[in-house]
Amino acid sequence: MSREGIEQLLYMMDMAFDAQGYEDSLLRNLRSMPEDSWLWMPPGGSRNVRMIAGHVAACKYMYWDHAFGDGTLTWNDPAGALGASIEEMQSTPDLGAREPSVGATIEWLCEGHRLFRDSVAALDDAELPRLRRPPEGGMHETRWVIAVLSHHDLYHAGEINHIRALRQGDDRWAWEEEGR
Amino acid sequence: MTRAAVEQLLYLLDEAFEGIDKPWHSMLGNLASVTEDDWLWTPNGGARTVRGITSHVGGAVYLYYDRAFGNYAVFGEPIKSWNVPAGDLGVGTEDLDSVHRLENEPTMAAVIAWVTERARAFRDAVAQLGDAAMMEQRTNHRGEAFPIRWFVATMIQHYAYHAGEINHIRALHQGNDSEG
């Protein structure tokens, strides 16, 4: 049973979600966003950081359930114990009194990542071409499903960074600060 | 020579830069919806343009190629200059990253073509490797030693992360900020 390919995909998934160094991971960027800016919307924008984090988490649960589980989870199901639906977490800018804490939202995100990652870790390389059904429908190779979610973390980490930079007024390159 | 691991990283690299199977989170997929009008625009509170971010990606993959595969022939060891010529664009890599408008601003198409050329050179070098070579050590521009697979994973991260930033700038300018 070969696992060389799976191990590389897991390596990439781990770097994308929570890199241990200075690399651009999702959690690193979420941690750099002050909690009081979590719901801030940039001028001309229609998404805040909670909506983006909620979207990334929502996709982890939906892709996990539809590609590896029984495919019964819907966008209208509860987002864990957060008191909101999966859909609300990604599309409602402010849930008012029902707004979950930043910590609880990140915990929900991490649990979704763990479920998806554990499903990938249980595979061997022979499973990578096997067709699975993502929540949007159609059939795709397993490695396609893994690639989509891995890139998804990073893509939205970049969007979160840009919102944070606009909010904090420090939209510049790290090397400009370091004065290399 | 086994290549199971290399093939999976190449797949992720291709999806992150070109988005062959799914363009949503890729560099070229997101640049395709950027107009000439978006290219040098900055949002309120922002400094970096789509041109600056795109060029930064090109400069980084040029540097990573030099460190991992190019024997330091372009940037030197230790680094002699960060501002090396960006192909035949008539400007340096660091000029092109900058937040300032250039006197001899290259066209959007020419910059994207140069970045694509640099990304393909890096990809072609990875494609020559076997799995064992992925674990050979190289030093990055900070003098830190990492296996070659780290250089590849970091470029995958970099493409998807900055594709997200590009999307956010484009969406703010075009007034159509939504999940993608």
Side-chain angles (χ1 to χ4, degrees), chain B residues 119-177:
Chain B
R120 288 192 175 143
F122 184 85
R123 190 245 185 245
D124 289 348
V126 176
Q128 300 299 314
L129 303 176
D131 287 353
M134 295 293 283
M135 300 311 288
E136 288 178 10
Q137 300 279 311
R138 297 286 188 273
T139 55
N140 70 5
H141 58 291
R142 299 173 189 235
E144 302 161 326
F146 286 105
I148 288 176
R149 76 168 182 172
W150 178 89
F151 288 78
V152 181
T154 302
M155 285 300 93
I156 294 167
Q157 280 189 316
H158 211 230
Y159 294 154
Y161 181 80
H162 288 300
E165 289 196 316
I166 288 167
N167 179 60
H168 196 246
I169 296 173
R170 180 207 56 73
L172 293 179
H173 195 215
Q174 295 183 0
N176 55 10
D177 181 34

Side-chain angles (χ1 to χ4, degrees), chain A:
Chain A
M1 182 175 84
S2 169
R3 282 182 48 85
E4 284 86 352
I6 288 290
E7 290 299 333
Q8 294 308 313
L9 294 171
L10 288 171
Y11 173 70
M12 193 63 234
M13 285 174 64
D14 292 342
M15 279 187 72
F17 188 69
D18 191 13
Q20 298 305 301
Y22 46 77
E23 300 89 348
D24 299 320
S25 68
L26 178 64
L27 287 189
R28 180 168 181 261
N29 279 276
L30 280 175
R31 289 184 190 116
S32 69
M33 190 69 185
E35 291 195 15
D36 62 2
S37 299
W38 193 244
L39 299 180
W40 180 76
M41 202 83 81
S46 54
R47 291 174 300 153
N48 56 38
V49 169
R50 196 266 287 138
M51 292 167 73
I52 295 174
H55 169 69
V56 175
C59 289
K60 286 186 184 288
Y61 283 95
M62 290 294 285
Y63 269 67
W64 165 70
D65 182 72
H66 286 251
F68 295 107
D70 59 15
T72 57
L73 191 67
T74 75
W75 300 101
N76 294 319
D77 281 327
L82 293 181
S85 71
I86 293 172
E87 182 59 37
E88 285 177 315
M89 287 301 292
Q90 67 174 352
S91 60
T92 304
D94 188 341
L95 291 162
R98 292 191 298 125
E99 185 67 41
S101 69
V102 171
T105 302
I106 291 178
E107 270 183 37
W108 176 61
L109 165 67
C110 289
E111 175 61 10
H113 179 75
R114 187 191 64 75
L115 290 168
F116 186 82
R117 189 195 187 282
D118 285 353
S119 293
V120 174
L123 304 176
D124 61 47
D125 287 358
E127 291 269 357
L128 289 173
R130 179 180 158 187
L131 296 179
R132 296 179 190 272
R133 187 182 303 281
E136 64 266 34
M139 297 296 283
H140 293 276
E141 289 185 355
T142 300
R143 72 170 184 170
W144 180 94
V145 173
I146 298 168
V148 166
L149 278 212
S150 181
H151 292 151
H152 200 238
D153 284 355
L154 295 161
Y155 181 79
H156 289 297
E159 291 193 316
I160 289 165
N161 180 59
H162 193 246
I163 294 175
R164 182 206 54 72
L166 295 180
R167 174 64 163 167
Q168 297 183 337
D170 61 357
D171 184 32
R172 64 177 80 92
W173 297 116
W175 56 262
E176 290 178 309
E177 290 179 45
E178 292 165 2
R180 72 183 179 197

Side-chain angles (χ1 to χ4, degrees), chain B residues 84-107:
Chain B
V84 302
D88 57 4
L89 294 179
V91 291
T93 50
E94 200 166 80
D95 299 327
L96 214 48
D97 280 8
S98 82
V99 297
H100 307 294
R101 195 172 287 244
L102 304 173
E103 283 181 16
N104 52 339
E105 191 70 49
T107 66

